[in-house]
Amino acid sequence: MRAYELREDPLLGCRVCPLPVRGDLADLVTRSHRVVWPTWLDRGPRMLRHMLDLCRLRTARGLALLSWLAVGEPPGDLDWFWTARRLTGPRQDRMYGAAAEVPDPVLGLVLANWTWALGSCHAGRVTAPYLAGTAYPADGYQAADATMTLYQTYDRHPEARPAIAAAWATARVGADWCKAADLRAAYGAGTPVFTYPRGPKPAVAGVRPWIERLFRL
């Protein structure tokens, strides 16, 4: 079963129009943004490794969610999904397996946002406040601190940019999928998921093996 429709646009190409989303699935999308991004800045390598691990977790989690949104139903057992520990072993295999089920048109939405971010000089100012604000929606102080940590990491560590952009791209598509589905439920007309314009595959440092695997590059 497919929980979306495809629409060909003469200017924008293939558009993905979600069907209405179940409430429990929409709640999973909201909860998935709750990543404990650091609220301090440490110039040492430990801080950078921690940030990259969180980006990998957020990206894999976001893609797994998109695979469930695409069919309109989550799996029954989700305890493994919310564990905040580093992705390793059977849990990593299960997360990556779910992410691999994302249909190509849906993955294309993520790639559009990701390539746009890596080609934009404004990406740090876009990705950092979004990731931090959705992670700490009820605490402005933590959101502000996390925004500065993410932004300065993006600015000072070019090798971290593909990972931060990947975490942001998957988070945006999940949230925008639900918005498009809500518009369809309200007005009865198919609404495409918003994405930024897609660019070419970026030739930048830091496109790690996990990004290549999850994004099928």
Side-chain angles (χ1 to χ4, degrees):
M1 180 179 176
R2 196 169 74 178
Y4 62 93
E5 298 172 346
L6 298 179
R7 177 195 300 170
E8 287 295 331
D9 186 287
L11 297 177
L12 301 174
C14 182
R15 311 300 303 278
V16 178
C17 302
L19 301 179
V21 173
R22 288 171 30 179
D24 56 343
L25 260 178
D27 291 343
L28 295 182
V29 174
T30 301
R31 184 178 173 185
S32 72
H33 287 81
R34 308 293 196 265
V35 176
V36 187
W37 299 109
T39 55
W40 73 95
L41 188 64
D42 181 351
R43 298 179 186 273
R46 181 179 179 182
M47 171 75 177
L48 185 58
R49 286 196 302 269
H50 179 56
M51 181 75 75
L52 293 175
D53 282 342
L54 288 175
C55 288
R56 183 163 72 105
L57 175 63
R58 182 63 187 90
T59 303
R61 183 181 285 171
L63 288 173
L65 266 174
L66 284 173
S67 74
W68 304 333
L69 286 168
V71 297
E73 187 173 356
D77 169 31
L78 284 173
D79 289 342
W80 59 275
F81 188 69
W82 299 117
T83 302
R85 297 190 305 272
R86 182 182 181 187
L87 276 180
T88 56
R91 190 169 64 93
Q92 174 178 295
D93 293 340
R94 193 169 183 181
M95 191 86 78
Y96 279 26
E101 298 297 320
V102 177
D104 288 339
V106 179
L107 181 62
L109 303 174
V110 178
L111 292 176
N113 283 346
W114 184 64
T115 54
W116 173 86
L118 293 179
S120 172
C121 61
H122 304 295
R125 292 190 290 272
V126 171
T127 58
Y130 183 87
L131 289 171
T134 54
Y136 300 107
D139 192 328
Y141 289 104
Q142 280 195 309
D145 289 341
T147 295
M148 291 308 301
T149 302
L150 284 157
Y151 176 74
Q152 292 184 36
T153 301
Y154 196 99
D155 185 54
R156 297 175 182 177
H157 296 278
E159 70 276 19
R161 292 172 187 172
I164 296 174
W168 168 80
T170 53
R172 275 299 307 256
V173 171
D176 289 336
W177 182 290
C178 292
K179 291 177 183 177
D182 287 344
L183 288 173
R184 184 190 185 103
Y187 299 104
T191 303
V193 179
F194 169 83
T195 66
Y196 288 85
R198 183 167 182 171
K201 178 182 175 181
V204 296
V207 180
R208 297 170 178 271
W210 63 263
I211 298 176
E212 294 180 338
R213 177 177 176 182
L214 289 172
F215 285 177
R216 304 173 203 160
L217 301 178

